[in-house]
Amino acid sequence: MNAIRLADNIFWVGKVDDRKVPFHRLILERGTTYNSYLLMTEKPTVIDTVDIEFGKEYVDNLSKIIDPENIEYIVINHVEPDHAGALPALAAKAKNAKIVTTKLASELLKDMFKLHNREFAIIKDGDTLDIGGKTLSFFETPYLHTEETMITYVNENKILFPCDIFSTHIANYELFNDLEKGEYIEDFKVYYRLIMAPHRPYVRDMLEKIKKLNIEVIAPSHGYILRENTAKFIQMYDEMSSLAALKQPKKVTIVYSTMTGNTAKIAQKLVQGLESAGVETSVFNLKNSDLAEVRKKITESDGILVGSSTRYADMVGNVEELLKLLEGEEVKNKFAAAFGSYGWSGEAIMHIENYLDKIGFNVINQKYLIGSAGIDIPLFPLRIKFARQEGLELAEEAGRVFGEQVLTH
Ligand code: FEO
């Protein structure tokens, strides 16, 4: 496709992929687009590239518009191969271009594409870049949907380039939403639920950041460029990510046995994290609790967290008794995870997780977090050495993430 004009000296130079595209364990039946943009200013700038499969075609097409050696900046908002995939092909021709991206993204790109000898301009939240006739402002948007992500705003044209955010997977040859001939709002919402909803608090942070911008056009990385009813799409993200939009109230029960009080401290941090996510909590130290009452509370909850310290490679107190009581309950729609303090091995935590899995809970562990939410941090099973400060901070984050999973399902 030729370059398509968005505004003065700003062009779409991407690729429409109308195949059925494999994506995040799904098949995109309606295809997608990889939206790359060229800003023909005094310092010509490319914002994002296209999927790795189309690298050569992309660079050949771009070379018909501009000599790649004249490109001064390549902005990479996100490193996934549907955005940065054509970077090696482009960088090989655009020999003079600096790669503009976040610190973490620069490290990833160097390793992914062997770009250790390229010049990078490292962006921090709120930085600006004069590209000769236009000014780019950058905002870090971590976890939308991966940690290194940022977004770009062109001050003079009031255009936001938000990367995956506000995207839609649809192979739309008409490109602009005011030219669309069919339904796409549902696709826009499905995309949000699939890619953005697991990172809901970060969506709220992003919305706060862009509030101060005057946005006339949203030019995302996939699907329609939103130049009609632009505010409506921001409003939709606001509504979909608000706590009010989630099924309320959600309840999580935390139960534990502790030898020296360390597992109790972890439980309190989990509670703080859960409550910061907007989840109601009930906490039971099993030493002083009636197990029948605890069991009843668990059956009324949307999730449970079960903790124990380890003694002689086993659970302590009556944790196992409680878990046996839960055998036979209908729990497949309830989230569960194990936690505990330990000194050297922490077997109790693994025994609890095995029980939760055997009973039939939807167990949140590292396998779940990577596979369902793309969270590559070992939060669960939550094993904290003694009650060290860094461990307690991790526990609070783990509680928040557990709460988000409960809230958004
Ligand atoms: Fe469009 Fe995160 O890839």
Side-chain angles (χ1 to χ4, degrees), residues 191-206:
Y191 183 99
Y192 172 84
R193 285 197 289 272
L194 190 67
I195 305 297
M196 297 294 154
H199 310 281
R200 190 191 64 81
Y202 296 98
V203 174
R204 304 301 301 173
D205 293 347
M206 177 275 299

Side-chain angles (χ1 to χ4, degrees), residues 71-143:
I71 296 171
E72 294 211 18
Y73 296 110
I74 304 170
V75 174
I76 298 291
N77 284 319
H78 174 40
V79 303
E80 279 205 311
D82 52 331
H83 301 246
L87 177 62
L90 178 58
K93 299 272 184 186
K95 293 185 170 59
N96 305 311
K98 263 189 207 164
I99 301 166
V100 181
T101 194
T102 61
K103 182 167 188 307
L104 178 56
S106 73
E107 290 161 4
L108 294 167
L109 290 169
K110 285 175 191 174
D111 285 340
M112 285 164 68
F113 298 133
K114 299 184 174 50
L115 293 168
H116 297 88
N117 297 324
R118 284 304 289 231
E119 191 175 357
F120 281 78
I122 301 300
I123 291 304
K124 291 196 289 300
D125 195 50
D127 280 354
T128 59
L129 178 68
D130 178 358
I131 59 168
K134 294 188 194 295
T135 312
L136 306 185
S137 296
F138 304 102
F139 301 94
E140 292 185 82
T141 51
Y143 298 105

Side-chain angles (χ1 to χ4, degrees), residues 149-264:
T149 311
M150 68 176 196
I151 60 177
T152 301
Y153 176 73
V154 181
N155 297 9
E156 292 75 7
N157 299 91
K158 303 180 177 64
I159 301 178
L160 181 68
F161 295 90
C163 187
D164 276 331
I165 307 163
F166 301 115
S167 281
T168 311
H169 280 311
I170 188 163
N172 52 315
Y173 283 94
E174 62 274 30
L175 288 182
F176 297 98
N177 70 326
D178 53 300
L179 304 179
E180 65 89 16
K181 299 176 190 72
E183 166 58 35
Y184 68 98
I185 298 296
E186 192 50 35
D187 295 281
F188 180 84
K189 290 181 180 171
V190 166
Y191 183 99
Y192 172 84
R193 285 197 289 272
L194 190 67
I195 305 297
M196 297 294 154
H199 310 281
R200 190 191 64 81
Y202 296 98
V203 174
R204 304 301 301 173
D205 293 347
M206 177 275 299
L207 290 171
E208 259 322 293
K209 286 184 188 184
I210 67 169
K211 227 184 220 174
K212 55 181 178 276
L213 305 178
N214 181 0
I215 299 170
E216 290 184 356
V217 177
I218 298 175
S221 291
H222 309 292
Y224 286 103
I225 296 166
L226 306 167
R227 67 181 181 186
E228 183 179 76
N229 296 327
T230 306
K232 182 179 92 175
F233 294 93
I234 298 172
Q235 175 75 19
M236 281 166 64
Y237 261 53
D238 189 23
E239 287 169 6
M240 290 189 290
S241 65
S242 71
L243 276 178
L246 305 170
K247 289 180 209 135
Q248 291 282 354
K250 294 281 188 170
K251 299 174 188 164
V252 170
T253 299
I254 301 102
V255 300
Y256 65 89
S257 282
T258 185
M259 282 196 301
T260 63
N262 286 340
T263 296

